[in-house]
Amino acid sequence: MFATIPLGLVILLSLSAEVLGVPRPVLPAAGQSIALKRRSKPVRNETEWAQWAKSQRDAVISKYSLQQKEKRGTGENLIVNQGYDSSFYGTLAIGTPPYSFDVILDTGSSDLWVASSTCGTTCEGTGNFDATKSSTFKSLGRDFEVTYGSGEAMGTLSEDVVQMAGFTIQSQEFGSVTSTSSNFLQNPVTGLIGLAWQSLSSSGAMPFWQALASDGSWDSPLMAFQLTRFINDSQAGSLEPGGSLTMGYANESLYTGAIDYQDIPGGQASYWLQEITSMTVQGKSVSMPSGSASYAAIDTGTTLVAGPSSGIAAIYAQIPGSSPGTGDWEGFYSYPCTSEVNVEISFGGPSWAVSPADFQFQATGPSSDYCYGAFYAIPTSGSTPQWIIGDTFLKNVYSIFRYDPPSVGFAALSDTALSMNGVDAIIPSATLGASSATVTANAASPATRTSGAVVLLISVVLALVVSS
Ligand SMILES: *[C@@H]1O[C@H](CO)[C@@H](O)[C@H](O)[C@H]1NC(C)=O
Ligand SMILES: *[C@@H]1O[C@H](CO)[C@@H](O)[C@H](O)[C@H]1NC(C)=O
Ligand SMILES: *[C@@H]1O[C@H](CO)[C@@H](O)[C@H](O)[C@H]1NC(C)=O
């Protein structure tokens, strides 16, 4: 749908320029000579030239260092932890004037969309996007549709100014969504920002993050996540501070030691893929096939950890008293809640431990001694990664998603980062794209702990379909 100017029009335009007598540069005809003029006396003496030279140099330094400041940068977006670690959302702003929206931060997909004000009942209760209020809004007149593990969103492909973490993309394509599957959006969340690579985008649009990384807007070509843990905090509310997403840098006060980067296998970036090279449960290793059979998508938009049934069965085989779930819990396993399950995963470098608190997902019933584990089996196909490494794992590390070279890095969380887990603190509010979020008190009702978790249990927000 790119507008091309017909050749005939180009010719017509250049003709009319001549016809209308637009001044054109006069070039010497071949063989003609141009008289050279002798340079007249300098207009400045030595002292004045020295001052002139200095001021020129200073101006150039200041101009380019200013430009560099404008062009390259860093930004932070404070995250909200929703539904006891079920999902993590941030904020962005769309339009002129900008309106802010809470969106799921999803490294497992690549489309950006927000619920439109014309969205029906499925988007009820959320502050939706009203295109008529933005002077820069453009409808691209194409259908937008994206399918995730947990549902789908449909609408129209649109374009507008989008701001996040202090960065702006003037013509960002996004879906203005008019319907979603039921329960996809949990108030106050109004949409989703896909933070994986363009090749995975259903609409084909360049993702916001990738546009910034590829045009050199970031100091360092990477974004980094710190995600908080509230799953084992009985005092937690349904919204809690969720950590941070930084663009253009990794916040050194949130991790210790070195960041271990591992390349995305095959160099073909779509998902943020890593190969699981080893996994242990209670210190015993689970056999992992090599190559693509052990590829995992590193996915902030997925709550738990999903894997092939053989790998998941091998994990629970190391946990005495475990048994497969049935009915709605098919694919899950239960085990005695008193067992401390220690899983460690390596992607080629150090092994990263998942805390027993994150492994223990939920009791099988009120006052039950059995709990479901956070690792569960899904049917796998050749076209999607075998494993999906979600927040259950990511709460235990500082994670870095690097554009160049395409790789994922993990580092140990610092005491500063760990001290934010389970802490009663104020919840970040909308940022309007400012480089750091303004934090204001936001009274979230402690509400329905169990039902919230169950509804969001299936929020496997991972793009399944790579279309167009
Ligand atoms: C250069 O010109 C300025 C005034 O324009 C004068 O004050 C200064 O003495 C001159 N310096 C030299 C080295 O001629
Ligand atoms: C929750 O789990 C973490 C990690 O195992 C642990 O450090 C913390 O003390 C636990 N919090 C509560 C309230 O049990
Ligand atoms: C890094 O994280 C600390 C702890 O959350 C925070 O106080 C600080 O503002 C952050 N710095 C930057 C540059 O993001």
Side-chain angles (χ1 to χ4, degrees):
M1 300 294 285
F2 296 104
T4 52
I5 302 170
L7 187 61
L9 185 57
V10 174
I11 292 165
L12 191 66
L13 284 171
S14 52
L15 276 179
S16 58
E18 264 191 12
V19 169
L20 293 173
V22 172
R24 306 177 64 194
V26 179
L27 299 173
Q32 240 181 348
S33 68
I34 298 169
L36 294 173
K37 270 194 191 150
R38 224 191 134 71
R39 194 192 286 254
S40 58
K41 218 181 153 227
V43 290
R44 298 178 181 89
N45 66 29
E46 275 154 32
T47 316
E48 289 167 328
W49 272 118
Q51 281 163 358
W52 180 87
K54 181 176 171 2
S55 70
Q56 285 288 303
R57 184 167 176 274
D58 288 350
V60 166
I61 290 170
S62 113
K63 177 181 170 192
Y64 284 89
S65 64
L66 265 182
Q67 268 192 355
Q68 196 160 7
K69 264 182 220 136
E70 273 164 21
K71 192 157 159 55
R72 289 182 185 274
T74 60
E76 185 189 34
N77 198 265
L78 295 184
I79 296 176
V80 178
N81 177 326
Q82 184 178 34
Y84 323 99
D85 309 356
S86 292
S87 63
F88 292 84
Y89 68 79
T91 51
L92 50 73
I94 303 182
T96 310
Y99 279 82
S100 77
F101 301 93
D102 293 328
V103 290
I104 298 291
L105 303 168
D106 184 22
T107 60
S109 70
S110 304
D111 292 274
L112 167 63
W113 59 269
V114 288
S116 151
S117 56
T118 61
C119 185
T121 52
T122 53
C123 304
E124 227 162 38
T126 53
N128 297 345
F129 177 70
D130 185 349
T132 63
K133 290 195 174 142
S134 172
S135 64
T136 40
F137 176 83
K138 238 196 282 178
S139 174
L140 298 179
R142 271 194 285 153
D143 287 346
F144 173 86
E145 181 172 1
V146 57
T147 306
Y148 304 99
S150 56
E152 58 182 353
M154 280 173 290
T156 320
L157 196 63
S158 310
E159 195 180 279
D160 208 333
V161 182
V162 172
Q163 302 175 58
M164 188 181 202
F167 295 98
T168 304
I169 296 289
Q170 293 298 334
S171 305
Q172 174 67 51
E173 287 183 30
F174 66 97
S176 180
V177 160
T178 49
S179 81
T180 67
S181 353
S182 55
N183 292 326
F184 199 103
L185 297 171
Q186 305 291 320
N187 200 15
V189 170
T190 325
L192 181 148
I193 184 165
L195 297 168
W197 299 74
Q198 184 176 18
S199 61
L200 198 58
S201 163
S202 294
S203 67
M206 169 70 82
F208 179 82
W209 79 271
Q210 197 176 339
L212 294 171
S214 60
D215 78 2
S217 293
W218 290 349
D219 270 6
S220 300
L222 52 85
M223 49 190 171
F225 281 89
Q226 170 226 350
L227 300 177
T228 59
R229 174 188 306 112
F230 283 85
I231 195 169
N232 61 337
D233 175 11
S234 56
Q235 305 301 308
S238 62
L239 297 180
E240 292 287 356
S244 63
L245 159 62
T246 59
M247 293 184 171
Y249 72 112
N251 185 336
E252 286 176 4
S253 64
L254 296 175
Y255 66 93
T256 57
I259 298 169
D260 178 66
Y261 284 107
Q262 298 290 332
D263 288 348
I264 292 178
Q268 283 201 332
S270 56
Y271 295 100
W272 289 99
L273 278 190
Q274 292 282 280
E275 182 182 338
I276 301 179
T277 55
S278 78
M279 193 184 291
T280 64
V281 183
Q282 312 301 50
K284 291 195 187 110
S285 92
V286 172
S287 119
M288 299 294 300
S290 65
S292 61
S294 292
Y295 283 1
I298 309 301
D299 183 8
T300 58
T302 285
T303 310
L304 306 176
V305 171
S309 51
S310 56
I312 296 297
I315 290 173
Y316 288 96
Q318 306 292 348
I319 306 169
S322 64
S323 60
T326 55
D328 285 349
W329 291 94
E330 188 189 342
F332 283 81
Y333 284 72
S334 63
Y335 67 100
C337 302
T338 49
S339 301
E340 295 240 308
V341 178
N342 288 286
V343 176
E344 292 193 11
I345 304 174
S346 167
F347 301 97
S351 281
W352 304 105
V354 176
S355 76
D358 288 312
F359 188 88
Q360 187 155 110
F361 176 50
Q362 194 167 295
T364 58
S367 74
S368 167
D369 295 334
Y370 281 79
C371 286
Y372 289 113
F375 283 51
Y376 65 100
I378 46 165
T380 51
S381 76
S383 60
T384 52
Q386 302 294 294
W387 291 84
I388 295 138
I389 303 291
D391 305 326
T392 292
F393 173 84
L394 294 169
K395 286 178 276 176
N396 295 278
V397 288
Y398 191 64
S399 43
I400 297 98
F401 297 81
R402 189 165 67 171
Y403 172 75
D404 186 24
S407 45
V408 177
F410 295 120
L413 291 168
S414 68
D415 288 342
T416 303
L418 290 170
S419 72
M420 296 181 206
N421 292 334
V423 161
D424 198 20
I426 40 185
I427 298 151
S429 67
T431 65
L432 281 177
S435 60
S436 62
T438 46
V439 181
T440 56
N442 184 351
S445 65
T448 52
R449 164 151 202 161
T450 324
S451 65
V454 170
V455 168
L456 285 157
L457 151 72
I458 27 185
S459 73
V460 178
V461 183
L462 179 86
L464 291 180
V465 177
V466 188
S467 62
S468 62

